[in-house]
Amino acid sequence: MKSAVETLNPTRVRLSIEVPFEELKDSLDAAYKKINQQVTVKGFRKGKIPARVIDQRFGRGAVLEEAVNDALPKFYTDAVNEAEIDVLGQPEVDITELKDGETLNFTAEVDVRPAIEIPDYSGIEVEVDAVEVSDEDVDKAVTELRERFASTSPVERAAEDGDVITIDLEAKVEGEVLEDGVASGVSYTIGSGELLDGIDDAVKGLEAGGEATFTSELKGGSAAGKEAEVTVKVTQVAARELPELDDEFAQLASEFDTLEELRADSRKRLENMKQYDQATQAQERVLEKLLELVEVPVPEKLLEDEINTRKHNLEHHQLGQMGLDLEKYLEIQGKTAEEFDTETKDAAVKGIKTQFVLDELVKREKLNVNQEELTEHLMRRAASSGMSPDQFAQAVVEGGQVPLLVGEVARGKALAVVVEAATVKDTNGEVVDLEDDEDETAETVETVEAASEDAPAEAEEKTEG
């Protein structure tokens, strides 16, 4: 076999492959054997029909077609390995010449991972928010904790903001009561925004036994997105009573003995959260700067497939679960179809570029993923999927997705290398040290996933294919 590679553009090549006919012998033998098992000829036992009889009865062309179909994948793979190219997706194959007993010539056009030059990234500088926790932040956190321990008691007065009311609901669309539009004994805190738009104004001022009707767009159910006439009846009004903010509350709501200790712990928790947010912000901004430094050609077919995948997942999975279609979603978001298409394309391009650049860094920095890192990532992914680690691991193995998880962790480690080399300052001009973060790898993996979304899996599946 002889092969040659022609570069069509930075992300696509054409392989020209010439195969001497004798190298088709194994595939021809297999073709005759397969046809032998599929047909019957009077006078011959099944599986014992001579080749010349098969040629006479069914045509040599049928045998050649079967043999070529069997042989092409092997010759294509050999040519790819010989040329040492990193292919993406399936090739477009064209048989240019097939002479029985002489030669088989064919071409294969396929997308390839582009060659990427990673420049010196040690000069990257980014600015992030400073970690500052004010007394007001602590007050808000303690107040939220206090509200979780609030008690309620029925009152004989009109409902006000913050009251917990018990209500019955009935929704009509075009005058017809919906089958799933009736609910009784619903508990609702006025002002929480957890039910329908307009309900707060409708119930405020009503006492137990009071009733009101208002219109609202339904957020879920069989008539999601439609305007409904909603009747609400208040059956009870209860006032919320917050516990006194003192040492006794601290002992009730936490493991601390004093309110001062509780506030100190709340401040520390807020600082930790802001440090996590700061680290994530640093990683996102370093990644943005890195992508700006690198020129990354994007294969057209890969981009087209990625855009279609994102749209399909949004329409048929995310929006479907919310009872929305794309048109309604765009209306809620205040976007035109053109704006949505542009945003989807930009996100897909960024995802593909992120994978290509970080994969190149993985090779350049010779980064490996150990079993502990893979296990930690698997458990985190399992938690986010709502599956147990064992169930998720089984699904990953059965789906042949282990290389994808390894790739995700490796890219996270690659980004961590770049972040470590970058200069990160906060808005106060102070240098931020991110090296002490024990969860740095997990955080960078999350950052890469957020940037890439489905692109890494899509591209890697194509590579494997």
Side-chain angles (χ1 to χ4, degrees), residues 165 167 169 183 186-189 191-200 203 214 216-219 232:
I165 57 174
I167 54 177
L169 294 166
V186 177
S187 180
Y188 174 67
T189 301
S192 66
E194 294 174 351
L195 278 178
L196 299 167
D197 293 338
I199 192 170
D200 289 339
V203 297
F214 64 101
S216 182
E217 183 179 296
L218 298 178
K219 296 179 179 179
V232 55

Side-chain angles (χ1 to χ4, degrees), residues 308-322 324-326 329-330 340 344 454:
N308 290 336
T309 296
R310 287 169 183 259
K311 287 183 176 180
H312 177 85
N313 289 340
L314 176 66
E315 289 189 61
H316 299 279
H317 298 293
Q318 295 162 276
L319 296 184
Q321 292 176 354
M322 295 188 287
L324 298 174
D325 57 18
L326 183 58
Y329 168 76
L330 294 179
F340 170 73
T344 303
D454 296 330

